[in-house]
Amino acid sequence: MSYPAVIKPQDLLCPKPGGLYCPPGDFYIDPVRPVDRAVITHGHSDHARAGHNTVLATPETLAIMAERYGEDFAVVGRQPLPYGQSVAINDVEVSLVPAGHVLGSAQAVVRWGGLTIVVSGDYKRRRDPTCARFEPVPCDVFVTEATFGLPVFRHPDDKGEIAALLKSVEQFPERAHIVGAYALGKAQRVIRLLREAGWDRTIHVHGAMERLNRLYEAHGVDLGPLAPATTERGKAGDFAGSIIVAPPSALADRWSRRFPDPVDCFASGWMRVRARARQRGVELPLIISDHADWDELTDTLAQLRPGEVWITHGREEALERWCELEGISARALRLVGYDEEDGE
């Protein structure tokens, strides 16, 4: 794919201290500090911050931001842009297509002067029952993450990981199983995967997840019977054989010791690295990630074959080298402000 004779990719998007900036449109994508106009790819806090004057995002992402930051998270206003629709911002066409990361997550497709740049945000390619699946968009430049951009990170089928959890519950019916899962996206995905695997019993959840669970259900994601994970009104033994979903930080908190001989589980792509599981005292690692693994990253680039690949954060060097071997021009933007979450 060739570029227009006059326009260069950096004329349309370029890295600034505040994030990835579009000069002709005068907006930022996932800015790391408050700006006048922000386009937000998804609701995780390292991409979606409060304090921008105006925010454009999918309706689901706007709802997530309102839930997390309050209704006044945007100083001036918010602009919902559903999948498949487009809007012009100072002659720059912007549309949002599914990224497959979490509810409402999107790739920002930016078109101007015959040039198309796709900013993927965070994404994965495999099916997720809680959000729309990633849609590839032909482009001149593809801006990709590389959180798991090393060949060692090849995530197994999530059904097998859930089967391992249910097998452990069967083997240890006297114990509670506490699954550490990121509160936005991962927790709801684990719950839905359990339902699809036939677990129809009540799943107990940490209080920090209740509001986001309700939001997911309001957007059509059926999580089945849920109940608070509290021993205040009952005995710890009442949770024998139960599955409890909680933020990863709760695994190391006294809160988790309330339950009968708990089996600490952790749903994260980082559980591929067994040393991380041992360091955190995780008894049952569950390799379930909301990010693309190495094969998904490279398969996506091979499918799109963009003129250039820009890498925003993660393991840039290995992905740059892969692109070089494939004859694809690539560079690392080295944007700051995007976290490497253990719970991803």
Side-chain angles (χ1 to χ4, degrees), residues 236-299:
D238 294 342
F239 290 88
S242 294
I243 295 176
I244 300 165
V245 182
S249 60
L251 295 179
D253 192 79
R254 286 189 302 172
W255 175 88
S256 67
R257 303 305 115 189
R258 303 174 181 181
F259 305 101
D261 191 17
V263 177
D264 283 352
C265 315
F266 194 4
S268 168
W270 297 112
M271 291 298 96
R272 171 61 75 186
V273 182
R274 296 300 174 177
R276 288 207 181 202
R278 290 194 298 270
Q279 289 168 1
R280 297 186 66 110
V282 176
E283 186 172 347
L284 180 59
L286 302 172
I287 307 171
I288 301 175
S289 176
D290 285 331
H291 289 264
D293 67 3
W294 174 257
D295 289 334
E296 290 174 89
L297 290 168
T298 56
D299 287 351

Side-chain angles (χ1 to χ4, degrees), residues 109-165:
V109 182
V110 182
R111 294 187 171 97
W112 181 64
L115 183 69
T116 300
I117 299 181
V118 174
V119 182
S120 64
D122 291 336
Y123 69 100
K124 66 177 180 293
R125 298 299 303 267
R126 63 192 64 199
R127 172 186 174 273
D128 181 337
T130 68
C131 66
R133 194 161 188 169
F134 178 96
E135 293 182 8
V137 177
C139 55
D140 300 290
V141 178
F142 185 68
V143 184
T144 183
E145 59 145 316
T147 302
F148 292 108
L150 290 173
V152 67
F153 291 112
R154 288 182 163 94
H155 305 323
D157 180 38
D158 48 27
K159 292 181 180 178
E161 299 301 285
I162 293 298
L165 170 59

Side-chain angles (χ1 to χ4, degrees), residues 199-232:
W199 185 266
D200 56 5
R201 293 168 51 185
T202 296
I203 295 174
H204 294 84
V205 295
H206 189 282
M209 297 178 168
E210 291 180 5
R211 292 189 303 170
L212 286 172
N213 287 343
R214 288 197 298 268
L215 186 149
Y216 264 69
E217 292 194 305
H219 284 84
V221 180
D222 182 9
L223 300 178
L226 304 176
T230 176
T231 58
E232 293 177 0

